[in-house]
Amino acid sequence: MAVDLAVFGLDGGALRVLLVRRKHDPFAGRWALPGGFLDIDEPIEAAARRELREETGLDETGAVELIGVYGDPGRDPRGRVISLAHAAAIRSPLPDVAGADDAAEASWLDPRAEHPLAFDHRTILARALDWLAAGVAAGPLGLALLPREFRLDDVAALHRAVLGPAAAGSPTDWCRRLVEAGKIVAAGGDGTRFTTA
């Protein structure tokens, strides 16, 4: 059993995912989601957080959510490996990361760029992007990416980065729904600034 973790953040209005360059075979030199094997007595989410910390130095991700189980035969040339895939979103500014353990490098990259990924991580990343888009459109997951105090312009940039220009909804409507849900409060009288509740 293995765990993989897709961590997303915003960098200057651009969506980024944390990837590691594999140091060893299989797929040496290719980018991959941080992850590795589950220890026999280790809780699953703890394993995902441990692998992230060991391979990138990133220790704090906020909430981590299980997004799928990946176990197609042949996904790992070393043998039958089933991965419990997770995703998380973190607030900007993005922290510095560095490759360690069995990762030669760690970097915040464009999740939609055509990086050659190891294993079936392109499939896992696509699922993680769907999870992120649904969570941002619904509201609360977007707050994990925005600064604690933000403006309507920040919400518009978030929607463009995650949902795309065609799918982006109204920042005003999005904020109104979150105010009504008690997730954010107005930070000024002009209706353009908000802070997390």
Side-chain angles (χ1 to χ4, degrees):
M1 295 294 292
V3 289
D4 292 301
L5 179 56
V7 180
F8 295 102
L10 291 177
D11 182 27
L15 183 62
R16 296 291 179 249
V17 67
L18 181 53
L19 296 177
V20 296
R21 191 180 297 277
R22 290 183 54 80
K23 191 184 293 185
H24 308 293
D25 280 327
F27 304 107
R30 283 213 185 167
W31 291 103
L33 296 168
F37 291 107
L38 183 68
D39 289 341
I40 193 70
D41 59 350
E42 188 174 30
I44 295 166
E45 184 180 317
R49 290 178 183 275
R50 174 185 53 78
E51 285 290 341
L52 178 69
R53 183 177 56 256
E54 288 176 358
E55 292 185 346
T56 71
L58 182 60
D59 199 23
E60 181 52 47
T61 63
V64 171
E65 187 172 330
L66 179 68
I67 60 167
V69 177
Y70 295 82
D72 286 348
R75 68 176 296 275
D76 189 327
R78 295 170 293 190
R80 186 69 188 268
V81 177
I82 298 169
S83 178
L84 307 168
H86 296 75
I90 66 168
R91 195 175 310 284
S92 60
L94 297 179
D96 291 334
V97 292
D101 194 32
D102 56 355
E105 181 181 356
S107 188
W108 293 100
L109 300 176
D110 180 348
R112 296 181 181 103
E114 287 301 315
H115 311 290
L117 297 183
F119 308 105
D120 55 357
H121 287 192
R122 178 64 56 197
T123 301
I124 296 172
L125 182 55
R127 169 65 189 105
L129 283 165
D130 288 345
W131 166 85
L132 185 66
V136 167
L141 188 54
L143 296 177
L145 293 163
L146 289 169
R148 292 194 190 287
E149 187 169 317
F150 58 90
R151 303 180 65 82
L152 283 176
D153 290 347
D154 298 319
V155 176
L158 167 70
H159 285 186
R160 282 192 304 273
V162 176
L163 305 174
S170 162
T172 304
D173 291 345
W174 189 85
C175 289
R176 181 184 39 76
R177 283 189 290 120
L178 291 177
V179 166
E180 290 170 359
K183 302 289 185 186
I184 64 173
V185 294
D190 61 359
T192 65
R193 292 184 304 127
F194 301 89
T195 186
T196 53

